């Protein structure tokens, strides 16, 4: 498993909006959003705590948590196993993107996470791939007052955990017929 890199943001509003990461970089006119709201280390801890072997029904697998996030280009362009493992049963769960999406007037605020999963047999090519965005609504984040920051950051961590569970449920669901 690989956690993702730092938090990104997308903000939409009547006057400002559309600039990726405007909120987390402190751009004028955007709500102050702590860029370190859920860092790579926290993501790794939440992934470990989720007991993904049970959630994904991979009880015979051993979890190896990588400390660093993968560059998006590596995630999207690697046709074979990312880790050098000869194991005949091998799977990868990767957090690709973690975003705060804030639509000021229509849908509200969400923590969105893009997860990617690949399962391998003995061959170099994956036998199964699956990736999707999952999201959880936020109410307290981003905080508007300093005394709200602790609750807001806790909400982001809870939302990340909910997104892990939602992704696992989506992965376990039968594939849709085309």
């Amino acid at each position: 498993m690989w956690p993702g890199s730092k938090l990104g943001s997308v903000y939409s509003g009547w006057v400002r909006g559309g600039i990726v990461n405007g909120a987390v970089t402190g751009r004028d006119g955007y709500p102050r959003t702590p860029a370190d709201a859920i860092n790579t280390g926290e993501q790794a801890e939440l992934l470990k705590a989720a007991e993904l072997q049970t959630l994904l029904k991979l009880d015979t697998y051993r979890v190896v948590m990588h400390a660093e996030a993968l560059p998006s280009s590596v995630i999207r362009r690697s046709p074979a196993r990312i880790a050098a493992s000869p194991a005949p049963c091998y799977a990868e769960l990767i957090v690709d993107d973690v975003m705060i999406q804030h639509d000021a007037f229509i849908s509200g605020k969400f923590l969105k996470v893009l997860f990617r999963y690949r399962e391998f047999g003995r061959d170099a090519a994956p036998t199964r791939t699956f990736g999707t965005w999952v999201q959880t609504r936020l109410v307290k984040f981003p905080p508007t007052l300093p005394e709200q920051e602790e609750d807001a950051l806790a909400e982001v961590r809870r939302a990340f955990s909910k997104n892990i569970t939602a992704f696992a449920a989506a992965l376990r669901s039968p594939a849709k017929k085309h």
Side-chain angles (χ1 to χ4, degrees):
M1 289 191 289
W2 285 268
S5 58
K6 66 182 180 178
L7 184 68
S9 66
V10 176
Y11 179 84
S12 300
W14 291 114
V15 178
R16 301 241 191 255
I19 295 179
V20 175
N21 293 334
V24 295
T25 58
R27 190 174 175 107
D28 287 343
Y30 288 82
R32 187 187 78 75
T33 302
D36 63 347
I38 185 154
N39 62 39
T40 301
E42 289 170 320
Q43 292 174 43
E45 289 302 317
L46 292 168
L47 286 163
K48 282 186 220 173
E51 299 182 10
L52 281 157
Q53 295 115 304
T54 303
L55 282 176
L56 299 176
K57 305 214 183 301
L58 299 172
D59 297 325
T60 60
Y61 283 58
R62 180 177 58 91
V63 173
V64 176
M65 178 60 65
H66 296 269
E68 299 296 320
L70 291 170
S72 203
S73 60
V74 169
I75 297 167
R76 292 184 174 122
R77 293 186 187 139
S78 295
R81 299 174 184 213
I82 293 174
S85 170
C89 58
Y90 171 88
E92 299 172 340
L93 177 66
I94 304 164
V95 176
D96 194 349
D97 283 314
V98 182
M99 301 288 292
I100 295 293
Q101 180 174 333
H102 186 172
D103 185 340
F105 297 104
I106 298 173
S107 60
K109 300 173 283 186
F110 294 88
L111 178 70
K112 295 180 71 169
V113 180
L114 176 57
F115 290 97
R116 296 185 186 272
Y117 176 83
R118 301 188 316 163
E119 195 170 306
F120 295 81
R122 294 190 181 279
D123 297 330
T127 57
R128 180 176 185 206
T129 61
F130 180 75
T132 192
W133 285 97
V134 290
Q135 65 183 18
T136 298
R137 182 174 294 280
L138 299 172
V139 176
K140 299 176 181 181
F141 192 88
T144 53
L145 301 171
E147 59 268 16
Q148 298 170 333
E149 191 158 322
E150 187 176 323
D151 285 343
L153 294 175
E155 178 186 47
V156 170
R157 290 188 286 281
R158 284 190 305 274
F160 188 85
S161 293
K162 284 181 182 180
N163 286 350
I164 294 168
T165 303
F167 175 77
L171 179 63
R172 287 191 322 265
S173 297
K176 293 181 182 177
K177 305 268 188 228
H178 294 287

